[in-house]
């Protein structure tokens, strides 16, 4: 995957990663929209193999993570394929946990 060092405003720019299931670069929208059932799990990166270099800046760690994982929405943990998705809502994780705990 080719990484872009900086954006025009001087901030770190996100890379345009290639997916393990596509030979050409994919947008994050395309990676997000992939049906996990259509992916060969052997082509996914095992999240356990990803190493985070804590000596890098936050932006550099994000870029390094994206380079290693290839698709931040689809990866595997051991033999299990995982698809990450987020609800289109303003609620935070903390809000959801609080609501859940209050419902017990």
């Amino acid at each position: 995957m080719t990484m872009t060092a900086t954006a025009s405003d001087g901030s770190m720019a996100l890379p345009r990663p290639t997916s393990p299931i596509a030979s050409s670069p994919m947008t994050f929208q395309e990676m997000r929209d992939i049906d996990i059932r259509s992916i060969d799990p052997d082509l996914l990166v095992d999240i356990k193999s990803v190493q985070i270099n804590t000596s890098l800046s936050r932006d550099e760690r994000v870029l390094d993570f994206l380079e290693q994982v290839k698709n931040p929405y689809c990866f595997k943990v051991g033999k299990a394929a995982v698809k990450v998705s987020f609800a289109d809502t303003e609620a935070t994780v903390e809000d959801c946990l609080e609501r859940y705990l209050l419902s017990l």
Side-chain angles (χ1 to χ4, degrees):
M1 168 175 69
T2 303
M3 291 176 32
T4 304
T6 57
S8 60
D9 66 357
S11 65
M12 295 295 288
L14 290 175
R16 184 161 173 135
T18 54
S19 168
I21 62 167
S23 58
S24 61
M26 297 178 75
T27 65
F28 285 104
Q29 177 78 33
E30 291 168 328
M31 287 187 276
R32 187 191 76 191
D33 293 342
I34 290 175
D35 182 350
I36 190 73
R37 297 168 294 184
S38 68
I39 301 173
D40 178 355
D42 292 333
L43 298 177
L44 297 173
V45 173
D46 191 329
I47 198 76
K48 292 192 262 179
S49 70
V50 174
Q51 299 291 316
I52 304 299
N53 182 347
T54 57
S55 68
L56 298 174
S57 71
R58 180 185 170 277
D59 289 342
E60 290 170 324
R61 286 193 309 269
V62 169
L63 291 172
D64 187 48
F65 172 79
L66 292 171
E67 183 176 297
Q68 290 181 63
V69 79
K70 309 295 184 222
N71 182 338
Y73 296 99
C74 298
F75 50 85
K76 65 182 175 181
V77 178
K79 294 182 181 181
V82 176
K83 171 79 183 262
V84 176
S85 62
F86 301 93
D88 187 16
T89 178
E90 296 283 324
T92 67
V93 171
E94 291 84 3
D95 295 336
C96 294
L97 285 172
E98 180 180 359
R99 196 170 32 245
Y100 171 73
L101 292 172
L102 290 172
S103 72
L104 297 178

